[in-house]
Amino acid sequence: NTTGKEDEFVKANAKEALNLFIFAFLLCIVFALLILVLIGIPLLILLGLYVLIFPIIAAVQTMSAKNGDAAYQYPCIFRLIA
């Protein structure tokens, strides 16, 4: 049994992480198509850095959060799961 089923903070952080990876997957498809015009390669590299760095920042901020703090929100993504 996990606390994620009852804890709103855990649920909110899980939704944010899922939104990030859905967003990254969709952008990866778009950027893969843009490889044909040669701009997709640097965009894929930047997306890879974004997906590598921001979850680390989110983990650090989530681990240092106190009771009642809001969940970390990733910048520059759209949220499909609210």
Side-chain angles (χ1 to χ4, degrees):
N1 194 9
T2 63
T3 60
K5 293 179 181 178
E6 295 90 23
D7 190 1
E8 289 300 317
F9 183 72
V10 174
K11 282 183 185 178
N13 279 299
K15 286 178 186 177
E16 279 296 312
L18 188 58
N19 278 325
L20 171 71
F21 287 104
I22 291 171
F23 173 73
F25 178 74
L26 294 175
L27 276 183
C28 189
I29 292 171
V30 172
F31 293 166
L33 293 173
L34 288 175
I35 286 177
L36 297 173
V37 291
L38 298 176
I39 194 158
I41 295 169
L43 290 176
L44 279 172
I45 292 169
L46 289 174
L47 179 63
L49 289 173
Y50 183 86
V51 171
L52 181 70
I53 293 170
F54 277 98
I56 294 170
I57 294 170
V60 169
Q61 289 200 1
T62 300
M63 297 284 256
S64 64
K66 296 176 179 55
N67 261 349
D69 284 352
Y72 177 78
Q73 289 193 332
Y74 294 95
C76 304
I77 68 167
F78 56 89
R79 287 158 181 84
L80 293 174
I81 300 172

